[in-house]
Amino acid sequence: MRNQSRSPGKTVRAPAAPFLRLAERLDDPRQVPSLPQILALLVTAREAELLLALPGTLAQLRARVDAEARELRAVLRKARRVGLVLAVAGPNGKTRYAFPDVYPDSILCDDRNNALGPRFRELWRRWTREHRARRKFDLGPDARPGFRVLPAVLPPEGRRAVVPPVDARAIVRAARRRVLQQCACRFRGGTCGLPTDTCLVFDHLADEAIARGFGREVSVREALAVLDRTSRAGLVHTSSADYLTPARSGTEFICSCCPCCCELLESHFASGRKLALVAHYRAVVDLDRCTGCGACLARCHFGALRCRRGAARVDERLCAGCGLCLAACPSKALSLRQVPVRYEARRVHRHVINPRP
Ligand code: SF4
Ligand code: SF4
Ligand code: SF4
């Protein structure tokens, strides 16, 4: 009788498949069938049922379920700790609880969850295969780029008093708070051996990471060193393109992506280069300086460089403006040229979702 409704107006659904229903709130379990099993390792059936009341404030959640505030608080605390729930400050100052849209980045790259044992790790690998098989970011013909490239080095004209949306260093300096986290893609299923302590999150995402005990708060200096270290390793700096929409201008994270493990770059290539990335720059070759040595070609993850008639040539359709090739050129023959951004990004990588069913 424990799971039946006991108070008029309050509902607790029949517990036939609470993990499946919770999985449906996060994703499509037909496409990622390992997800309900992962959830069953993270929370109990009773906890899963209570979480189905999300999103809302504690008072709103209490009105929807048959549970004391104390139990509900404990469930939310636990779910937040394992990465299933985000706590977001509402406009009225009340904390609102919601599911994270990028749930795998909070559940599956938290090495504390790895302590759940071999079953969790096996499901984790299975989830990675299922997720990648379906091309999560392939949103159809109307899809717009959801991420922007932050060049490794900005040309002088790119530096302005106001934080330009592509200046990773200025973004780091302007942030109220910075946290260094694991790169979810490489941590979950990476094969390249490149570093995983590379993802920087800022401000409210940093607050959330610290509240969950996930990641490490870093100073401006340390965060800038992360950018330098990851650029030297040949990783591409990216962030969301939400800043192109009227409602948003903040930068919540800077990722450092490799073409082999990164879901974002994978979706960029899989979508015929239409989907993932907004490029603000293109590489330019100074033909007077270029010796045609070819050293830059290996640095470009986007296949945008070729050597022709003894000099490097840039294919502007392919260049993402990441700037990694600049550091590879011994003759300083490469630079970046700013290009106009013509489209408005559709928001494909939200952090908080949750239509109630
Ligand atoms: S998007 Fe790139 S940096 Fe971010 S988690 Fe994935 S690979 Fe890592
Ligand atoms: S040519 Fe390649 S490495 Fe150079 S900026 Fe363009 S995409 Fe980046
Ligand atoms: S590394 Fe520099 S000099 Fe060598 S081919 Fe590329 S642009 Fe030319």
Side-chain angles (χ1 to χ4, degrees), residues 147-221:
F147 295 84
R148 66 191 191 267
V149 175
L150 309 178
V153 185
L154 276 184
E157 68 272 19
R159 301 195 179 281
R160 301 175 200 129
V162 184
V163 175
V166 284
D167 189 338
R169 302 181 83 80
I171 289 165
V172 162
R173 288 195 191 95
R176 169 176 58 79
R177 194 175 203 188
R178 303 143 209 92
V179 162
L180 180 61
Q181 292 186 170
Q182 295 281 353
C183 157
C185 306
R186 282 191 293 280
F187 187 73
R188 274 198 303 273
T191 52
C192 60
L194 287 165
T196 58
D197 56 335
T198 53
C199 282
L200 292 164
V201 295
F202 306 114
D203 300 343
H204 84 268
L205 284 186
D207 294 341
E208 183 64 19
I210 293 297
R212 289 186 51 222
F214 180 55
R216 178 171 70 83
E217 185 153 13
V218 291
S219 64
V220 171
R221 199 169 156 186

Side-chain angles (χ1 to χ4, degrees), residues 283 300 302 304-305 319-325 336:
C300 180
F302 298 88
L305 288 164
C319 176
C322 69
L324 288 175
C325 54
L336 290 179

Side-chain angles (χ1 to χ4, degrees), residues 306-329:
R306 296 270 180 281
C307 258
R308 221 175 44 237
R309 292 197 289 275
R313 313 281 166 163
V314 180
D315 185 333
E316 295 226 339
R317 294 164 308 163
L318 303 183
C319 176
C322 69
L324 288 175
C325 54
L326 273 63
C329 177

Side-chain angles (χ1 to χ4, degrees), residues 132 185-186 189-193 258-264 266:
R132 291 195 167 166
C185 306
R186 282 191 293 280
T191 52
C192 60
C258 54
C260 37
C261 317
C262 175
E263 290 180 12
L264 154 58
E266 185 190 26

Side-chain angles (χ1 to χ4, degrees), residues 52 72 125 179 206 210 229 241 253 291 297 310 339:
L52 289 170
L72 206 45
R125 280 193 289 274
V179 162
I210 293 297
R229 169 165 62 82
F253 65 90
T291 61
L297 272 58
V339 291

